[in-house]
Amino acid sequence: MQVRFSYAERAAYCKNALAKKLFLLMDGKKSNLALSADVTHCEDVLALADKIGPEICILKIHVDILEDFDQTFPLELRKLADKHNFLIFEDRKFADIGNTVKLQYEKGIYHIADWADIINAHSLPGSGIVSGLMEVGLKKQRGLLLLAEMSSANNLFTKDYAMQTLRMAEQFPEFVIGFISQQKLSDDPGWIYMTPGVQLQAGTDVLGQQYVTPEIALVKHQSDIIIVGRGIIKAEDTLAEARKYREAGWKAYNVNCAK
Ligand code: S5P
């Protein structure tokens, strides 16, 4: 089995300050769990953030599914992120030309750049998408993930697309922190891989989502962070369930970690 550097060691390879911070946060907090808080009211996101916050390294949201978004929401979320020491990831999946994504990131109702530590984007439109987002995010010390693969059935991603996405990321190491992917893509220890489509039992949902277990994602596929949504938020006891995922994630990380 391939031995890997610890998260703490990998911090030294990051060219982006936020990526470094995330690796050290994961190491210090002993968590490689990201919660996907896919609920549609602000108070429900905030309640999850307060309850599950101590267990996670990242809280991921879709701000555009909130029915009652107002400008106090990001401020409240930031307070909880500081209180519990996690990063905020807006799963916006930008996918347009550089000039448009720049506006979508900075302007509109949400002002995503003002509060999201991490955002993600498709590489499909070409490197202008990264340049556009970087014009806004770099000075605010934000980080970008590129989608190299997706978890959904019958998706159009290919191995070649993932490799070209990696090549694109390599052009912007000061802003791109890693990938949304199902597996590790490169031997450079500075990239962070986040894998969605994770539940304690492998399976599918009725709309084509495909789940692997934390062990498959982190040991077999050498990813770094498990992103878990309904596996936790639909549980009767969300905190107890989050703890199970956190434990499973940390145990899986330690299987092939060098330290
Ligand atoms: O390939 C992907 C990429 C993402 S970011 N597959 C995904 O499922 N996601 C997101 O992860 C998706 O938008 C959702 O917010 C979360 C998975 O949620 P779950 O409830 O299926 O765990």
Side-chain angles (χ1 to χ4, degrees):
M1 185 178 302
Q2 202 180 351
V3 174
R4 304 179 74 188
F5 290 122
S6 69
Y7 295 140
E9 288 167 323
R10 287 169 64 190
Y13 293 87
C14 298
K15 296 183 182 72
N16 169 293
L18 186 83
K20 205 179 281 275
K21 179 173 166 183
L22 175 56
F23 271 133
L24 294 176
L25 188 164
M26 291 161 71
D27 177 68
K29 205 170 172 181
K30 298 199 180 335
S31 175
N32 51 19
L33 173 64
L35 176 69
S36 186
D38 297 341
V39 289
T40 56
H41 290 93
C42 297
E43 65 168 351
D44 295 334
V45 177
L46 297 173
L48 277 169
D50 204 16
K51 193 169 180 184
I52 313 294
E55 312 298 326
I56 58 178
C57 57
I58 290 174
L59 185 89
K60 182 178 86 60
I61 64 167
H62 289 281
V63 74
D64 55 1
I65 65 174
L66 292 173
E67 306 236 30
D68 53 358
F69 176 86
D70 67 30
Q71 301 304 330
T72 62
F73 170 74
L75 303 176
E76 293 303 315
L77 189 58
R78 171 54 57 195
K79 277 190 212 156
L80 292 170
D82 292 342
K83 176 178 170 192
H84 296 301
N85 194 25
F86 60 76
L87 299 185
I88 303 171
F89 172 8
E90 163 52 26
D91 186 2
R92 174 63 179 75
K93 297 187 182 71
F94 293 101
D96 214 316
I97 60 166
N99 188 59
T100 300
V101 295
K102 194 176 148 187
L103 294 169
Q104 289 169 326
Y105 185 22
E106 190 173 29
K107 308 287 185 185
I109 299 168
Y110 302 122
H111 299 275
I112 294 167
D114 286 347
W115 49 267
D117 298 300
I118 301 170
I119 49 159
N120 55 357
H122 286 287
S123 53
L124 187 69
S127 59
I129 192 167
V130 183
S131 305
L133 293 169
M134 193 163 82
E135 275 187 23
V136 176
L138 194 60
K139 56 183 177 291
K140 291 177 182 277
Q141 301 208 308
R142 306 306 192 197
L144 171 69
L145 298 164
L146 289 177
L147 284 117
E149 295 174 328
M150 288 193 72
S151 58
S152 39
N154 307 318
N155 66 64
L156 305 182
F157 289 80
T158 63
K159 185 83 197 152
D160 182 52
Y161 183 92
M163 285 303 118
Q164 292 196 51
T165 302
L166 170 64
R167 299 282 100 80
M168 190 183 291
E170 286 167 351
Q171 295 170 47
F172 304 94
E174 67 278 40
F175 189 53
V176 178
I177 63 171
F179 305 90
I180 293 288
S181 66
Q182 292 295 301
Q183 59 199 310
K184 179 181 131 181
L185 302 171
S186 151
D187 287 331
D188 181 342
W191 299 120
I192 301 177
Y193 304 96
M194 304 192 195
T195 298
V198 174
Q199 286 202 348
L200 292 173
Q201 263 87 45
T204 55
D205 76 2
V206 291
L207 295 174
Q209 174 70 303
Q210 305 179 115
Y211 293 109
V212 295
T213 62
E215 294 73 30
I216 297 279
L218 298 173
V219 183
K220 186 164 179 221
H221 296 162
Q222 307 265 293
S223 183
D224 297 312
I225 292 178
I226 49 171
I227 299 178
V228 181
R230 285 165 288 174
I232 293 173
I233 65 174
K234 296 288 185 200
E236 207 159 295
D237 184 342
T238 51
L239 180 57
E241 207 61 17
R243 286 181 173 152
K244 283 189 206 162
Y245 279 93
R246 178 190 186 170
E247 249 173 59
W250 201 253
K251 197 171 153 204
Y253 159 62
N254 277 294
V255 168
N256 56 1
C257 177
K259 87 176 148 41

